[in-house]
Amino acid sequence: MDLLVRNAEGNVTKRDREYAAEKLGKLERYFHQAHKVEMVHREEKSGHRLEITVFADGFTIRGEDTEPTLREAIDKVSDKLEARLKRLKGRLIKSHRKKGVQPPSGLEPEAEADGDGFIEIRERKTFLLKPMSPEEAALQMEMVGHPFFVFKNEISSQVEVLYKRRDGQYGILQPEM
């Protein structure tokens, strides 16, 4: 599993990188094929802000936290990711059992998910996917009052998702196929 550290200030020491690699390497046991882990570190007034994204087995799992020290932040985010992975694994196994399929070997859930662990889809909507610019998509998103908007980019002809970030800025998700 590759650990990619993105840090504008350049203040993540080699020891901290090794510590993060060791802690996050323990998450590998939850995957068949872990591709990479991306760690984004920012030093803020409130402490060290850490965002970790794990890309493995077709899933993207993300966790973030702000702590006074970088190692505390690594520990907290690692614990959050592990809890999410346990929950995900439990849901996958329960889904396989519900379908009458035996789970792959070594995939026993370590913790039960809340309730029955499945989501209930209460509504389905269809919509016209018309080509537009990201600016037009932002306007449409604001008009419908949703935190995201799915659109077809008029330049690239790709389906993209525009979303509003916590800091008030916009982000775009571009799926790879």
Side-chain angles (χ1 to χ4, degrees):
M1 182 163 52
D2 297 329
L3 175 65
L4 172 66
V5 178
R6 290 194 306 157
N7 177 12
E9 293 91 25
N11 56 356
V12 177
T13 66
K14 186 176 180 179
R15 286 183 61 172
D16 286 335
R17 289 174 194 254
E18 290 170 356
Y19 181 77
E22 181 183 325
K23 285 292 276 190
L24 298 170
K26 293 178 183 178
L27 300 176
E28 231 176 344
R29 66 183 171 181
Y30 293 100
F31 301 108
H32 291 292
Q33 188 176 19
H35 303 288
K36 71 175 180 175
V37 175
E38 187 175 283
M39 183 173 101
V40 179
H41 171 256
R42 290 184 194 97
E43 200 164 336
E44 299 176 344
K45 291 179 183 177
S46 57
H48 295 268
R49 179 169 182 73
L50 191 65
E51 299 171 10
I52 297 178
T53 308
V54 179
F55 302 94
D57 291 347
F59 293 101
T60 302
I61 298 95
R62 186 174 177 278
E64 62 182 73
D65 206 330
T66 303
E67 293 295 325
T69 68
L70 180 57
R71 289 198 179 204
E72 285 179 47
I74 291 169
D75 290 341
K76 287 272 180 129
V77 176
S78 177
D79 292 344
K80 282 183 181 181
L81 290 172
E82 187 167 10
R84 287 182 183 157
L85 290 169
K86 285 179 184 178
R87 208 174 23 223
L88 173 66
K89 188 170 270 193
R91 286 180 181 170
L92 289 173
I93 290 170
K94 215 170 208 182
S95 172
H96 281 283
R97 287 185 180 155
K98 190 173 187 177
K99 293 177 187 172
V101 177
Q102 290 296 324
S105 62
L107 289 183
E108 287 303 316
E110 295 184 24
E112 282 295 314
D114 299 330
D116 63 357
F118 294 98
I119 60 167
E120 180 181 344
I121 298 173
R122 295 184 180 239
E123 185 177 357
R124 239 177 242 285
K125 292 184 178 184
T126 58
F127 59 95
L128 181 62
L129 194 62
K130 74 171 204 145
M132 63 178 72
S133 68
E135 292 78 16
E136 185 180 347
L139 180 62
Q140 293 284 335
M141 183 178 81
E142 294 297 329
M143 289 188 347
V144 295
H146 289 187
F148 67 92
F149 190 81
V150 179
F151 70 102
K152 185 175 184 179
N153 191 314
E154 64 186 2
I155 296 170
S156 67
S157 297
Q158 294 284 331
V159 175
E160 298 178 350
V161 179
L162 178 76
Y163 65 96
K164 190 115 180 193
R165 295 170 41 96
R166 288 186 187 143
D167 63 3
Q169 301 295 314
Y170 292 97
I172 290 186
L173 299 174
Q174 299 171 316
E176 290 183 24
M177 294 184 206

